[in-house]
Amino acid sequence: MENLIEATILTGPFEGEAVLIPRIPMIPTDLPFQFKRLQFPIRLAFAITINKAQGQSLEKCGIDLNTYCFSHGQLYVACSRVGKPDNLFICSENWTAKNVVYSQVLRS
């Protein structure tokens, strides 16, 4: 809608609930003149695959492990993109992750 964003809460005690986010008036105070604009209170975010993240340095990183990593080592690559452990956020069902190892490779 033009003045509302309809969203679904993904985690926490209100998971699955639909919410409406309205545009709110923003009035900057650090300028020599005053003006008011209507703006949605949201923050820009980006999503990339683990393969595209290899070689990147990220300030903050969120990893969705509700679907498995498809090859051995991808979980390490995903977790090692951020410098501080406090800036790494992992979403996983039951706090578990499956580490995929192909036993055929280990036998040869």
Side-chain angles (χ1 to χ4, degrees), residues 21-88:
I21 303 170
R23 288 173 36 169
I24 60 172
M26 304 290 280
I27 304 169
T29 58
D30 59 342
L31 297 172
F33 53 90
Q34 285 194 333
F35 67 94
K36 179 172 88 170
R37 67 175 183 230
L38 290 175
Q39 183 174 330
F40 288 112
I42 57 175
R43 184 175 292 170
L44 182 63
F46 298 95
I48 59 176
T49 64
I50 293 173
N51 288 337
K52 292 279 185 184
Q54 193 162 2
Q56 301 287 323
S57 293
L58 304 172
E59 189 175 321
K60 292 188 182 202
C61 182
I63 303 170
D64 181 6
L65 293 177
N66 288 320
T67 56
Y68 300 136
C69 294
F70 64 85
S71 68
H72 182 67
Q74 276 198 316
L75 183 57
Y76 167 77
V77 168
C79 291
S80 65
R81 297 303 91 205
V82 65
K84 294 182 184 176
D86 292 343
N87 292 340
L88 178 64

